[in-house]
Amino acid sequence: MHAITAGPSEAGARPTFAKRAFYVLKAWLQAPMDVATLCPSSPYLTRKLANRDCVKNARCVIELGPGAGGTTQALLEYMRPDAKLLAVEKSTVFSEPLHAIHDPRLEVAMDDACALAEIAAKHQFGLVDAVVSGIPFSSMPPAVAKTIAQSIHQVLRPGGVFVAYQIRDHVNEFARPLFGPAETEAIPMNFPPLTLYTWTKVCVAQQDAADRRGQNEIVHDQCA
Ligand SMILES: C[S@@+](CC[C@H](N)C(=O)[O-])C[C@H]1O[C@@H](n2cnc3c(N)ncnc32)[C@H](O)[C@@H]1O
């Protein structure tokens, strides 16, 4: 386990909510199925995403779908000073606000999460501690959603955590076969209200032991 933890810190000038909403609207007009919302995540949600041990203790985090960077800024505020964050965003509309975040811990990849394993390798991110995702699994073709879920599982270290904030439940269909059941939390203070899902990648040794005991279910205890 990592010893150093970080509390909230200054992670660069924060664009106003209205400015971020402008970028979201612009991106939505270009690709509504990818953006899937007209409103950036609320401060309540961004704090819920970032103020958790898997982010505060992490050395390497990948964010999928950072949009205009409100969630990115929140993650950076809580991450360790020596941690790294790779933000992967498909819409070029968000290139400007994401590149305006001046934080040496942040790397931005304007790319499609479908190629997550290759993107992580290119940025020399080995197995990561956490993947935080806002990409809408409900509005993408099932084959694409399955590929992305498998890539997330692949880039996480054993005991690593996958966090997804979603309006609909489709993400479960793709993540559950890989990770087992999620912990869920309703987030009413966001527009629209949504659900926060958390999965922990099984430690192989624990799964082997469970399999030997004849238990077919996925084991959830986090690796030491
Ligand atoms: C619901 S918005 C979340 C934006 C921001 N994180 C927030 O909470 O305000 C979803 C984001 O995922 C991005 N996205 C959708 N599909 C993607 C993909 N396959 N790869 C990377 N980003 C994707 C969209 O462009 C959009 O920025």
Side-chain angles (χ1 to χ4, degrees):
M1 263 295 114
H2 309 308
I4 311 169
T5 56
S9 66
E10 193 49 56
R14 188 184 279 272
T16 62
F17 190 85
K19 182 89 182 179
R20 279 187 276 120
F22 162 78
Y23 284 112
V24 170
L25 177 61
K26 195 170 161 191
W28 182 84
L29 288 169
Q30 285 184 7
M33 301 297 268
D34 283 348
V35 178
T37 179
L38 282 168
C39 197
S41 290
S42 67
Y44 178 83
L45 171 58
T46 59
R47 203 164 41 250
K48 279 271 179 194
L49 288 171
N51 186 10
R52 47 175 59 217
D53 286 348
C54 68
V55 171
K56 292 193 286 188
N57 295 335
R59 284 184 197 280
C60 290
V61 177
I62 293 179
E63 182 183 15
L64 303 180
T71 41
T72 315
Q73 295 259 7
L75 292 170
L76 289 167
E77 282 174 21
Y78 283 90
M79 284 172 64
R80 293 160 40 144
D82 61 341
K84 292 195 302 179
L85 174 63
L86 175 60
V88 181
E89 173 54 56
K90 186 175 173 184
S91 169
T92 53
V93 169
F94 296 119
S95 177
E96 186 178 297
L98 288 173
H99 284 103
I101 302 173
H102 298 297
D103 188 308
R105 297 170 296 170
L106 175 65
E107 295 179 37
V108 176
M110 299 308 299
D111 216 324
D112 191 319
C114 283
L116 178 58
E118 291 81 0
I119 298 164
K122 190 172 151 198
H123 285 260
Q124 298 181 322
F125 273 56
L127 292 179
V128 303
D129 301 299
V131 174
V132 178
S133 174
I135 63 174
F137 282 83
S138 53
S139 58
M140 58 181 77
V144 173
K146 190 174 175 188
T147 300
I148 293 176
Q150 284 170 339
S151 305
I152 292 168
H153 191 263
Q154 187 185 338
V155 300
L156 277 171
R157 68 167 171 82
V161 178
F162 171 34
V163 182
Y165 49 104
Q166 299 281 294
I167 300 168
R168 296 192 201 89
D169 186 50
H170 294 70
V171 66
N172 228 342
E173 196 183 309
F174 305 102
R176 191 184 164 110
L178 301 165
F179 292 92
E183 278 175 31
T184 59
E185 182 179 356
I187 305 289
M189 284 161 69
N190 189 70
F191 183 78
L194 42 68
T195 304
L196 196 51
Y197 297 82
T198 305
W199 289 271
T200 301
K201 181 173 173 176
V202 170
C203 179
V204 175
Q206 288 173 332
Q207 187 65 58
D208 285 350
D211 290 346
R212 277 197 298 278
R213 288 195 302 271
Q215 298 168 342
N216 293 325
E217 78 279 11
I218 292 176
V219 174
H220 292 288
D221 295 344
Q222 195 157 326
C223 299

